[in-house]
Amino acid sequence: QVQLVESGGGLVQAGGSLRLSCAASGRTFSSTAMGWFRQAPGKEREFVAAINWNGIKTYYADSAKGRFTISRDNAKNTVYLQMNSLKPEDTAVYCCAADLGLYRTPNSDQDRYGYWGQGTQVTVSS
């Protein structure tokens, strides 16, 4: 019932920036917390950032703090991830996800997210 489509990935040099977008469908998007996760080859999927229903509350992984910014525009049913000062270790497939509940506090537990996008590849060269 909820469909998520990511875009904005690509190849950038270390120190560069990318802005990822996640377009969402579904009647409850405006009341749903959203998150960004990433998975590098040979590694487990890890949490990056999350945002509550109205964008006031955010939560970041330590690796993302100070470099990444999550935001949302409920009028456009879209969540964003602005990534600055990119490093080669940021290389991964980035997926957005929708929380299973309504009006929940942003969290890093991937088990709480029931809807996932297909992912967009981010590659950072040294």
Side-chain angles (χ1 to χ4, degrees):
Q1 189 167 331
V2 177
Q3 184 170 242
L4 307 173
V5 181
E6 302 96 333
S7 62
L11 174 64
V12 298
Q13 295 181 335
S17 299
L18 282 175
R19 182 179 175 85
L20 306 183
S21 298
C22 174
S25 64
R27 298 188 301 275
T28 60
F29 174 80
S30 61
S31 58
T32 302
M34 300 290 295
W36 284 97
F37 295 79
R38 68 186 184 187
Q39 185 170 24
K43 295 185 177 180
E44 297 293 324
R45 183 166 58 192
E46 65 176 357
F47 168 76
V48 178
I51 190 167
N52 83 321
W53 69 277
N54 63 2
I56 293 178
K57 299 178 180 179
T58 58
Y59 179 52
Y60 295 93
D62 288 341
S63 61
K65 291 180 180 178
R67 299 191 299 126
F68 295 1
T69 302
I70 187 171
S71 62
R72 68 191 298 162
D73 186 341
N74 285 350
K76 298 180 179 180
N77 289 341
T78 302
V79 62
Y80 305 94
L81 184 68
Q82 177 67 46
M83 304 186 293
N84 300 324
S85 301
L86 284 164
K87 306 174 181 179
E89 51 263 44
D90 293 319
T91 296
V93 174
Y94 285 71
C95 296
C96 66
D99 199 293
L100 284 168
L102 302 177
Y103 302 106
R104 287 178 55 85
T105 300
N107 67 90
S108 60
D109 186 357
Q110 61 182 289
D111 291 336
R112 292 302 309 161
Y113 295 86
Y115 305 95
W116 297 81
Q118 83 287 352
T120 184
Q121 176 70 47
V122 172
T123 302
V124 184
S125 62
S126 60

